[in-house]
Amino acid sequence: MNRDAMLLVDALRNPATTRNLDAQGWTELLSMARAEQLLGTLAERFKIESVPPKVAEILAEARVNADYLRRSALWEADCARRVLAGFGGKVVLLKGTAYVAAGLKAGEGRSIGDLDILVARDDLPQVEAALLAAGWEWVKPDPYDDAYYRDHMHELPPLIHKLRDRMIDVHHTILPLTARRRPDARAMLADANCLPSRLREGPGEGQSNSRHISDPPLTAVASHRLRLPASGRGGLYTLSPPDMVCHSAAHLFADGELDGGLRNLWDIHCLLGQFSSAEFWVQLRSRASLHQLSEPVERAVRLAHQLYGTQIPKDWAGWHRQDKWYVARLTARDGWGRPTRKFIRLLFYIRSHWLRMPPLMLARHLWVKWRKG
Amino acid sequence: MGSSKILYRAEPADQRLVEPLDMMTLIYQRRSGITHMVGEPVPQMLAAMGDDAVDAAILAKRLAKTFDLGGAADAVAVLSERLEELAELGLVERITDA
Amino acid sequence: MHEFRVQVGPAAFRIGSAWREPLAQMAELYRDYPQPEFTDFSVRLEPTGLLRRWLRPSVAICGDYMLPDAAPLPLAQGLLAAEMAMNLQMALGWRRHLLLHASAVERDGRVLVMTGQSGSGKSTLSALLGSRGWRFMGDEFVLLDPVSGDAVPFPRLISLKNSAIAAMQAVKPDGHFGPLLAGTPKGDIRHLVPPGDAIARMGQGGAPALLLFPRFGYPGEVREVAPGETFMRLTQASTNYVALGEAGFTTLTRFVRSVPSRAIDYQSGEEAVALVEQLWERLA
């Protein structure tokens, strides 16, 4: 069977489409979901959908794993918070950790990897020093990579915590400095919102086996016995909703080869659904313009609507000629979870490097990488 | 250094599971999912702290009621160190007057 | 892509391969195992490069869960690659039980668990006991149920290494052995199909009653192991203790509280069996 990941897209958009799926179909769907880091999300979508017994076991297992990833991510963020508590500037959580910390739909069942934070560029030396003093260390000691990172990238070279073995990416803007588009990091930081309380799990674990299903959003957790840092002093922040969408779209289209694109697009679908209001869509248009991200944001909104059925205003809908290439790339996965459509992948790979750096730099970068084998 | 005092407050007791074994005590911390293996006097310290913000001196007084801690000055120094370690681990929170 | 499916204990695998041979070997060795419709994990044996499908064929292990720098194996060891791939899926993806890197055998509804590093002899010992009236439950992973605390069978092909191969062939001359895989990263390997009752009863667990840390190649001795040390060694032997969170903690502490543990040293299979029987009589 020559399936592509539209099988997964359909299942996420509308779980009822799986009602007639046979064992082979389920096997392929699950392999795709794993390959696209969307198994946890699938498990969330199918919470009240009836599925074959073996599939139910697999999805329950995925929820256990999602709980673990969420717990680790929040703890890591809290460790960073404590270390940076004395630091005067804002520490803004990005991506999966942010969604989970803020109790957003985009965080439900999300697979989360490293901790990503955004701070002002001027504050980098202070943040770097604080992290190094508290047990983080550099991952890549290579001086070329190090210089490259500091001069051209949007983040510090990667840091990893010695004991916990977890990585932190400290960003000062959301796209590489060498990219064509220049989002306004200062504006993002200025508009970032403080999370209301210290990061916690829901009510104690183990109170019921279905705790993860009935978990209240984090913002509703009562922290009655602890005195917590007030906003602005030792708290953590998240981007404003329009900026979150801009960041996600930038990451999806302007920074990468679209690996993990379906998951990234699902984040956008959830964000748009959660924050949709007349005011939001106006703000989104203006923020996207401010950050020079109009094209990626508009494409992200169109594709989320096309693939996941997101409700969007008429003036955001439409179909551009290039959209079909993106859909082809995003769904390039077979029933074994293998990447397919090699040629299209190659085109996007080249494009992603093209977007990240000017041609002369690209040549030099690839030359150095090649020389080092 | 200024004259601000550091106090410590333990996480609520329902945020951890405590399992004493032979030579050590296991503490599972729910928030982090980390299992700590600790020796004396850590479990006793956490129990004695309750929900209050304390410093090493206060804690030493509380523990002295049920334990022989050796010399008073020693006890405070040892407890200070342990409290800092627990703060690093996140089992206990530092609270500064600020 | 050639395909083979097999159910082992509670886990069902779909195995794909660019070459027919490794799967033909698997089908032969796993012929008495259930062939599931629904699968938990998919693994793939793929050529490492375009030409490597035919020219000195080299097998890369891929699947739902993969290790980025796993070294490829020659096609002759394709069967080993498939077994390793299945282990990897369990180790990285299974969350339904607490997974211990251990072997287990059962008698009268109670389970003997043996754990230790590679070469400790836990695999061979479980095979030996499996042919001495015990029911073989697995030689690679022991699965502990977080709710009941029971050990659940995971009876894959028994992986015999180096001198253990000849030893088991002597004990079970009519055993169903796989091909000799020489020169693997771990030396010579030969797989042995578990006994019929192990396969037939792969759905039946039992309560753990004794934990042993076997050590082959040392003069016979038995030492008590304190619960604290047992706990620590078992967390090191578990691939998913941390991921299971609180359930991992309660499962393992319950195990450590209720199951006596001993370290045993031995220099021959017979010696080991005798020690096991003595300890089982006394403690289990």
Side-chain angles (χ1 to χ4, degrees), chain C:
Chain C
M1 180 111 90
H2 306 278
E3 197 177 306
F4 175 68
R5 295 184 185 218
V6 65
Q7 174 100 25
V8 182
F13 298 90
R14 173 176 70 149
I15 301 147
S17 172
W19 306 269
R20 202 194 60 84
E21 180 66 359
L23 295 192
Q25 289 174 334
M26 287 196 93
E28 208 278 315
L29 293 166
Y30 279 109
R31 64 181 181 230
D32 293 329
Y33 284 67
Q35 299 235 339
E37 252 201 314
F38 285 88
T39 56
D40 293 291
F41 299 115
S42 294
V43 305
R44 310 183 307 265
L45 306 182
E46 292 186 346
T48 50
L50 204 52
L51 288 177
R52 285 271 174 245
R53 201 187 177 108
W54 301 282
L55 204 60
R56 277 179 296 138
S58 179
V59 180
I61 294 171
C62 309
D64 290 339
Y65 296 93
M66 296 189 271
L67 285 181
D69 12 288
L73 292 174
L75 181 57
Q77 295 167 18
L79 173 61
L80 179 63
E83 291 285 309
M84 284 169 63
M86 290 194 282
N87 284 347
L88 197 60
Q89 306 313 301
M90 294 299 288
L92 296 181
W94 196 259
R95 301 276 183 261
R96 284 163 248 186
H97 301 86
L98 180 66
L99 227 63
L100 296 175
H101 191 58
S103 66
V105 292
E106 175 262 330
R107 181 191 271 174
D108 302 326
R110 282 167 303 142
V111 178
L112 165 64
V113 179
M114 293 168 280
T115 187
Q117 293 180 335
S118 268
S120 59
K122 65 181 189 298
S123 204
T124 316
L125 200 41
S126 67
L128 195 51
L129 291 166
S131 63
R132 292 291 169 81
W134 295 74
R135 190 220 344 165
F136 175 80
M137 284 176 70
D139 76 324
E140 183 71 31
F141 291 120
V142 166
L143 277 49
L144 294 180
D145 186 303
V147 174
S148 67
D150 277 359
V152 166
F154 188 66
R156 288 251 307 286
L157 303 180
I158 306 170
S159 177
L160 300 166
K161 299 180 190 72
N162 302 310
S163 56
I165 300 173
M168 273 316 287
Q169 282 177 315
V171 167
K172 276 204 99 167
D174 55 348
H176 187 180
F177 288 86
L180 174 66
L181 305 172
T184 78
K186 292 205 172 143
D188 290 353
I189 293 183
R190 228 176 152 163
H191 293 97
L192 170 63
V193 179
D197 70 334
I199 302 171
R201 295 170 63 194
M202 67 165 72
Q204 291 169 29
L210 179 61
L211 173 69
L212 294 179
F213 295 92
R215 204 166 60 138
F216 174 66
Y218 291 80
E221 196 189 323
V222 177
R223 293 182 301 281
E224 227 180 283
V225 183
E229 183 183 343
T230 300
F231 186 89
M232 218 173 63
R233 289 171 77 164
L234 288 179
T235 57
Q236 287 166 350
S238 174
T239 60
N240 66 359
Y241 171 78
V242 175
L244 253 53
E246 185 167 331
F249 181 77
T250 53
T251 305
L252 204 56
T253 46
R254 173 172 49 198
F255 183 94
V256 159
R257 282 201 176 290
S258 59
V259 179
S261 57
R262 297 288 184 273
I264 60 170
D265 293 347
Y266 57 98
Q267 288 176 308
S268 75
E270 292 312 314
E271 197 181 351
V273 172
L275 282 173
V276 165
E277 294 288 356
Q278 273 171 35
L279 290 169
W280 185 259
E281 173 80 36
R282 228 173 2 104
L283 300 168

Side-chain angles (χ1 to χ4, degrees), chain A residues 237-250:
Chain A
Y237 290 74
T238 55
L239 296 174
S240 71
D243 282 346
M244 265 193 203
V245 175
C246 289
H247 178 220
S248 193

Side-chain angles (χ1 to χ4, degrees), chain A residues 35-175:
Chain A
E36 292 288 336
Q37 308 281 314
L38 279 169
L39 188 60
T41 305
L42 198 68
E44 280 299 308
R45 283 297 275 153
F46 278 73
K47 262 194 310 213
I48 52 170
E49 194 70 21
S50 105
V51 296
K54 176 59 102 176
V55 175
E57 271 177 43
I58 294 169
L59 296 182
E61 180 175 64
R63 288 185 206 107
V64 169
N65 202 46
D67 278 354
Y68 159 60
L69 293 174
R70 191 180 84 184
R71 186 172 55 236
S72 301
L74 290 178
W75 180 250
E76 198 59 29
D78 204 41
C79 289
R81 179 192 66 82
R82 278 182 279 126
V83 165
L84 298 172
F87 163 63
K90 286 183 180 176
V91 177
V92 184
L93 296 178
L94 298 174
K95 300 191 201 159
T97 309
Y99 307 151
V100 153
L104 302 180
K105 275 205 79 57
E108 290 171 9
R110 179 90 159 38
S111 76
I112 308 168
D114 306 329
L115 175 62
D116 288 271
I117 63 173
L118 174 72
V119 300
R121 192 168 190 200
D122 293 338
D123 293 336
L124 279 180
Q126 196 184 354
V127 169
E128 184 179 335
L131 293 172
L132 287 170
W136 276 268
E137 55 190 22
W138 300 111
V139 173
K140 277 195 213 186
D142 183 301
Y144 172 77
D145 277 335
D146 190 87
Y148 177 77
Y149 258 97
R150 289 177 187 281
D151 294 341
H152 305 298
M153 289 297 286
H154 49 305
E155 52 197 10
L156 287 178
L159 286 157
I160 189 166
H161 191 269
K162 278 190 284 255
L163 292 177
R164 292 191 304 272
D165 205 34
R166 303 270 309 192
M167 297 223 322
I168 184 172
D169 286 323
V170 182
H171 301 248
H172 57 86
T173 180
I174 63 170
L175 285 179

Side-chain angles (χ1 to χ4, degrees), chain A residues 342-357:
Chain A
K342 296 268 161 66
F343 184 62
I344 298 182
R345 284 176 174 266
L346 183 60
L347 287 180
F348 275 99
Y349 176 79
I350 294 170
R351 174 184 169 275
S352 78
H353 276 79
W354 171 258
L355 287 174
R356 279 166 152 238
M357 47 177 121

Side-chain angles (χ1 to χ4, degrees), chain A residues 214-235:
Chain A
S214 53
D215 235 358
L218 284 162
T219 50
V221 171
S223 311
H224 51 285
R225 279 179 289 182
L226 295 169
R227 209 175 76 206
L228 302 162
S231 310
R233 286 192 293 124

